Amino acid sequence: MDKIDFTGRVAVVTGAGGGLGREYCLALAARGAAVVVNDLGGSTTGEGGSTDYADRVVDEIRAAAASAQLRQRGHAAAGGHHPCRYGQLWTRRRCHQQRGNHATRASGSSPRATSMRCIRYTSKVLFSSLSPAYRVMVRQGYGRIILVSSQSGIFSGTPSAATTVPPRPAMIGLMNVIAQEAPGRRRSQLSVPNAVGGRSAASRAMFDPTRNSWPAAATKVPHYIEGMHPSFVAALATYLASERCTTSQNMYSVLGGKYSRIFAGLTEGWYHPGSTAPSAEEVAAHIPQIDDRSRYDVPRSGLEEMDTVIALQKRLASRN
Ligand SMILES: NC(=O)c1ccc[n+]([C@@H]2O[C@H](COP(=O)([O-])OP(=O)(O)OC[C@H]3O[C@@H](n4cnc5c(N)ncnc54)[C@H](O)[C@@H]3O)[C@@H](O)[C@H]2O)c1
């Protein structure tokens, strides 16, 4: 299998000092990318800031590069294999002053105020982070944007998480817009990760069955905890960021070692002909057909959803 290689490419990783971001940086740098390590470093309630988290990752990349160079010399001396190359390291630790994820748990605010703040800052940070990268992508006709969402907000609303869940599905809309505006060799994807070790997301303690915080999840932990290291998520992100990935506008979940595609589908549904709307009772009578998931479409745009109506009309006409 050809090795995925990022030599000559630049990767900008935001939240790079966290559990997932760190792993992305290490994986991309190990494959030759020049990595921009961006992390604001403050508390999980949005206060303060420091370069400590970014610095640690920078040091790790440098140490890994140094040991790879040593290995390379060893291999060369032994007439060995092509060395693992490390890209030039770029560090820019305080690119954006707005806080995104950090605003999600602002202490002392009402849930509504915190939620509004979270949504506002998430959008601001997304746009201020993405716009410069997007402009470069358009100019050079190449690039990949990988947004991170969460199973909360897509499959479930985690209990007591009204402040953090609402912005998550917004990433789907953003991914769709970028994917449709930037065709060609420019891609936009969404990853829905699950990993332990981060500061603000899942930690092993959270899944501790002796704690009452999340007992329903704790009972399932023994079945998947092995696959919860951030490197499982980084493997997917590395592929999505690479030239090997030729698709766009896809969403992928990583949980406990299982990689799956997530999609928004439309059931074939029920068609009511004519220009007079059905009654509520008629809709109620057809709910089993409307809910039936045995046939479905996965449109990628509003136009493709229109095609599903036309296709159903044609199918019904050919049956009559
Ligand atoms: N780990 C998971 O299981 C999981 C699941 C779903 C979604 N996510 C999301 O993925 C992201 C990373 O998760 P993690 O576990 O690595 O979290 P983490 O808390 O360990 O890391 C997040 C990092 O982002 C930095 N940060 C916050 N706001 C920033 C900003 N505006 N600019 C630059 N850096 C900023 C923080 O300093 C922190 O180091 C988070 O947004 C998280 O909500 C994680």
Side-chain angles (χ1 to χ4, degrees):
M1 211 187 297
D2 282 349
K3 194 172 175 202
I4 289 176
D5 185 68
F6 289 93
T7 305
R9 299 280 184 211
V10 176
V12 181
V13 180
T14 56
L20 289 172
R22 168 187 170 272
E23 208 67 35
Y24 298 163
C25 290
L26 295 175
L28 293 164
R31 290 169 183 274
V35 182
V36 178
V37 180
N38 169 238
D39 198 292
L40 284 181
S43 74
T44 51
T45 53
E47 287 97 25
S50 86
T51 62
D52 291 356
Y53 286 95
D55 285 342
R56 252 179 258 158
V57 175
V58 168
D59 291 345
E60 279 190 83
I61 295 176
R62 287 204 172 114
S67 91
Q69 273 163 10
L70 280 179
R71 280 203 304 279
Q72 175 187 347
R73 279 190 216 122
H75 280 308
H81 310 291
H82 195 277
C84 169
R85 276 178 305 194
Y86 278 79
Q88 177 199 359
L89 182 67
W90 292 8
T91 58
R92 232 169 105 204
R93 303 180 179 97
R94 299 182 67 88
C95 299
H96 311 289
Q97 293 307 314
Q98 299 101 328
R99 301 196 165 270
N101 204 40
H102 276 183
T104 59
R105 297 182 189 185
S107 50
S109 308
S110 70
R112 186 173 182 280
T114 309
S115 189
M116 295 312 292
R117 196 172 148 204
C118 177
I119 293 167
R120 215 168 43 237
Y121 282 122
T122 301
S123 322
K124 250 187 181 176
V125 169
L126 270 174
F127 279 102
S128 58
S129 312
L130 283 181
S131 303
Y134 183 75
R135 280 197 291 273
V136 173
M137 275 172 66
V138 169
R139 218 169 34 239
Q140 68 184 12
Y142 177 84
R144 274 93 175 86
I145 288 178
I146 300 153
L147 298 166
V148 180
S149 187
S150 171
Q151 58 168 221
S152 323
I154 295 181
F155 298 133
S156 64
T158 308
S160 315
T163 57
T164 56
V165 165
R168 308 292 192 173
M171 307 287 177
I172 302 176
L174 190 60
M175 171 198 67
N176 288 336
V177 170
I178 297 170
Q180 303 215 346
E181 278 187 10
R185 296 171 71 227
R186 290 155 285 198
R187 315 263 181 253
S188 160
Q189 318 266 16
L190 187 85
S191 89
V192 178
N194 292 277
V196 294
R199 283 199 292 152
S200 55
S203 69
R204 272 175 191 269
M206 198 166 148
F207 295 107
D208 182 348
T210 61
R211 286 171 46 143
N212 289 327
S213 57
W214 207 359
T219 60
K220 302 179 197 295
V221 166
H223 301 285
Y224 68 80
I225 195 74
E226 273 177 13
M228 293 292 279
H229 191 271
S231 53
F232 282 78
V233 182
L236 173 74
T238 302
Y239 160 70
L240 292 177
S242 75
E243 286 176 62
R244 189 77 61 83
C245 175
T246 54
T247 58
S248 192
Q249 208 183 342
N250 287 347
M251 303 187 274
Y252 295 97
S253 144
V254 185
L255 172 63
K258 182 165 86 67
Y259 296 80
S260 300
R261 168 107 179 259
I262 299 173
F263 52 86
L266 278 173
T267 61
E268 181 183 67
W270 168 59
Y271 177 64
H272 176 80
S275 55
T276 308
S279 65
E281 290 75 15
E282 281 178 288
V283 172
H286 288 91
I287 282 295
Q289 195 180 341
I290 295 168
D291 282 350
D292 179 8
R293 285 185 286 174
S294 59
R295 288 181 72 140
Y296 61 85
D297 294 287
V298 185
R300 285 180 175 259
S301 64
L303 289 175
E304 285 191 16
E305 183 180 5
M306 293 173 196
D307 290 341
T308 70
V309 181
I310 298 163
L312 179 57
Q313 285 172 338
K314 283 187 183 155
R315 272 200 298 279
L316 292 174
S318 69
R319 276 179 218 160
N320 295 332

mmCIF file of all heavy atoms in Angstrom, residues 169-186:
data_model
loop_
_atom_site.group_PDB
_atom_site.id
_atom_site.type_symbol
_atom_site.label_atom_id
_atom_site.label_comp_id
_atom_site.label_asym_id
_atom_site.label_seq_id
_atom_site.Cartn_x
_atom_site.Cartn_y
_atom_site.Cartn_z
ATOM 1 N N PRO A 169 -24.446 20.499 15.145
ATOM 2 C CA PRO A 169 -24.951 20.226 13.793
ATOM 3 C C PRO A 169 -24.663 21.352 12.813
ATOM 4 O O PRO A 169 -24.718 21.144 11.598
ATOM 5 C CB PRO A 169 -26.458 20.057 14.009
ATOM 6 C CG PRO A 169 -26.632 19.812 15.463
ATOM 7 C CD PRO A 169 -25.521 20.541 16.148
ATOM 8 N N ALA A 170 -24.344 22.561 13.332
ATOM 9 C CA ALA A 170 -24.032 23.669 12.420
ATOM 10 C C ALA A 170 -22.847 23.320 11.529
ATOM 11 O O ALA A 170 -22.735 23.809 10.400
ATOM 12 C CB ALA A 170 -23.722 24.927 13.224
ATOM 13 N N MET A 171 -21.979 22.440 12.028
ATOM 14 C CA MET A 171 -20.811 22.034 11.238
ATOM 15 C C MET A 171 -21.239 21.303 9.973
ATOM 16 O O MET A 171 -20.541 21.330 8.961
ATOM 17 C CB MET A 171 -19.910 21.092 12.044
ATOM 18 C CG MET A 171 -19.512 21.599 13.378
ATOM 19 S SD MET A 171 -18.322 22.910 13.204
ATOM 20 C CE MET A 171 -18.117 23.361 14.898
ATOM 21 N N ILE A 172 -22.376 20.604 10.039
ATOM 22 C CA ILE A 172 -22.837 19.858 8.857
ATOM 23 C C ILE A 172 -23.181 20.851 7.747
ATOM 24 O O ILE A 172 -22.774 20.680 6.595
ATOM 25 C CB ILE A 172 -24.075 18.984 9.186
ATOM 26 C CG1 ILE A 172 -23.758 18.008 10.304
ATOM 27 C CG2 ILE A 172 -24.564 18.256 7.945
ATOM 28 C CD1 ILE A 172 -24.943 17.170 10.749
ATOM 29 N N GLY A 173 -23.919 21.905 8.139
ATOM 30 C CA GLY A 173 -24.286 22.915 7.145
ATOM 31 C C GLY A 173 -23.061 23.561 6.534
ATOM 32 O O GLY A 173 -22.982 23.760 5.315
ATOM 33 N N LEU A 174 -22.084 23.868 7.380
ATOM 34 C CA LEU A 174 -20.876 24.523 6.884
ATOM 35 C C LEU A 174 -20.113 23.604 5.934
ATOM 36 O O LEU A 174 -19.653 24.023 4.871
ATOM 37 C CB LEU A 174 -20.001 24.932 8.074
ATOM 38 C CG LEU A 174 -18.826 25.823 7.750
ATOM 39 C CD1 LEU A 174 -19.288 27.135 7.125
ATOM 40 C CD2 LEU A 174 -18.017 26.117 9.009
ATOM 41 N N MET A 175 -20.018 22.325 6.316
ATOM 42 C CA MET A 175 -19.333 21.361 5.440
ATOM 43 C C MET A 175 -20.037 21.300 4.072
ATOM 44 O O MET A 175 -19.380 21.316 3.029
ATOM 45 C CB MET A 175 -19.356 19.972 6.072
ATOM 46 C CG MET A 175 -18.855 18.898 5.133
ATOM 47 S SD MET A 175 -19.328 17.234 5.616
ATOM 48 C CE MET A 175 -21.102 17.252 5.383
ATOM 49 N N ASN A 176 -21.379 21.260 4.097
ATOM 50 C CA ASN A 176 -22.131 21.181 2.836
ATOM 51 C C ASN A 176 -21.857 22.391 1.952
ATOM 52 O O ASN A 176 -21.615 22.261 0.751
ATOM 53 C CB ASN A 176 -23.633 21.108 3.118
ATOM 54 C CG ASN A 176 -24.046 19.765 3.692
ATOM 55 O OD1 ASN A 176 -23.371 18.767 3.485
ATOM 56 N ND2 ASN A 176 -25.140 19.743 4.430
ATOM 57 N N VAL A 177 -21.884 23.581 2.568
ATOM 58 C CA VAL A 177 -21.702 24.802 1.784
ATOM 59 C C VAL A 177 -20.303 24.831 1.170
ATOM 60 O O VAL A 177 -20.141 25.098 -0.025
ATOM 61 C CB VAL A 177 -21.924 26.055 2.672
ATOM 62 C CG1 VAL A 177 -21.498 27.313 1.934
ATOM 63 C CG2 VAL A 177 -23.373 26.154 3.086
ATOM 64 N N ILE A 178 -19.294 24.523 1.971
ATOM 65 C CA ILE A 178 -17.921 24.563 1.445
ATOM 66 C C ILE A 178 -17.768 23.538 0.324
ATOM 67 O O ILE A 178 -17.197 23.821 -0.730
ATOM 68 C CB ILE A 178 -16.888 24.296 2.563
ATOM 69 C CG1 ILE A 178 -16.955 25.392 3.615
ATOM 70 C CG2 ILE A 178 -15.478 24.232 1.976
ATOM 71 C CD1 ILE A 178 -16.150 25.087 4.868
ATOM 72 N N ALA A 179 -18.307 22.338 0.563
ATOM 73 C CA ALA A 179 -18.158 21.278 -0.450
ATOM 74 C C ALA A 179 -18.798 21.700 -1.767
ATOM 75 O O ALA A 179 -18.280 21.409 -2.845
ATOM 76 C CB ALA A 179 -18.781 19.983 0.045
ATOM 77 N N GLN A 180 -19.931 22.409 -1.696
ATOM 78 C CA GLN A 180 -20.628 22.771 -2.932
ATOM 79 C C GLN A 180 -20.026 23.999 -3.585
ATOM 80 O O GLN A 180 -20.065 24.135 -4.802
ATOM 81 C CB GLN A 180 -22.099 22.973 -2.629
ATOM 82 C CG GLN A 180 -22.655 21.715 -2.002
ATOM 83 C CD GLN A 180 -24.064 21.409 -2.377
ATOM 84 O OE1 GLN A 180 -24.761 22.240 -2.921
ATOM 85 N NE2 GLN A 180 -24.490 20.201 -2.087
ATOM 86 N N GLU A 181 -19.468 24.893 -2.766
ATOM 87 C CA GLU A 181 -18.866 26.099 -3.353
ATOM 88 C C GLU A 181 -17.483 25.830 -3.919
ATOM 89 O O GLU A 181 -16.996 26.563 -4.752
ATOM 90 C CB GLU A 181 -18.733 27.186 -2.280
ATOM 91 C CG GLU A 181 -20.016 27.947 -2.053
ATOM 92 C CD GLU A 181 -19.800 29.119 -1.127
ATOM 93 O OE1 GLU A 181 -18.638 29.462 -0.798
ATOM 94 O OE2 GLU A 181 -20.808 29.672 -0.702
ATOM 95 N N ALA A 182 -16.837 24.800 -3.391
ATOM 96 C CA ALA A 182 -15.436 24.578 -3.748
ATOM 97 C C ALA A 182 -15.230 23.221 -4.399
ATOM 98 O O ALA A 182 -14.675 22.312 -3.801
ATOM 99 C CB ALA A 182 -14.573 24.670 -2.484
ATOM 100 N N PRO A 183 -15.731 23.061 -5.626
ATOM 101 C CA PRO A 183 -15.567 21.757 -6.263
ATOM 102 C C PRO A 183 -14.129 21.548 -6.747
ATOM 103 O O PRO A 183 -13.242 22.302 -6.380
ATOM 104 C CB PRO A 183 -16.533 21.832 -7.438
ATOM 105 C CG PRO A 183 -16.631 23.275 -7.754
ATOM 106 C CD PRO A 183 -16.349 24.034 -6.482
ATOM 107 N N GLY A 184 -13.940 20.562 -7.567
ATOM 108 C CA GLY A 184 -12.601 20.274 -8.070
ATOM 109 C C GLY A 184 -11.794 19.525 -7.034
ATOM 110 O O GLY A 184 -12.299 18.634 -6.359
ATOM 111 N N ARG A 185 -10.550 19.932 -6.861
ATOM 112 C CA ARG A 185 -9.677 19.190 -5.946
ATOM 113 C C ARG A 185 -9.768 19.742 -4.524
ATOM 114 O O ARG A 185 -8.897 19.524 -3.703
ATOM 115 C CB ARG A 185 -8.244 19.231 -6.468
ATOM 116 C CG ARG A 185 -8.115 18.509 -7.805
ATOM 117 C CD ARG A 185 -6.767 18.731 -8.416
ATOM 118 N NE ARG A 185 -5.743 18.018 -7.658
ATOM 119 C CZ ARG A 185 -4.593 18.562 -7.280
ATOM 120 N NH1 ARG A 185 -4.335 19.828 -7.541
ATOM 121 N NH2 ARG A 185 -3.710 17.865 -6.619
ATOM 122 N N ARG A 186 -10.818 20.501 -4.261
ATOM 123 C CA ARG A 186 -10.992 21.031 -2.908
ATOM 124 C C ARG A 186 -12.077 20.219 -2.212
ATOM 125 O O ARG A 186 -13.141 19.978 -2.772
ATOM 126 C CB ARG A 186 -11.385 22.507 -2.979
ATOM 127 C CG ARG A 186 -10.214 23.349 -3.449
ATOM 128 C CD ARG A 186 -10.653 24.626 -4.087
ATOM 129 N NE ARG A 186 -11.175 24.413 -5.423
ATOM 130 C CZ ARG A 186 -11.311 25.355 -6.338
ATOM 131 N NH1 ARG A 186 -10.974 26.569 -6.090
ATOM 132 N NH2 ARG A 186 -11.799 25.072 -7.524
#
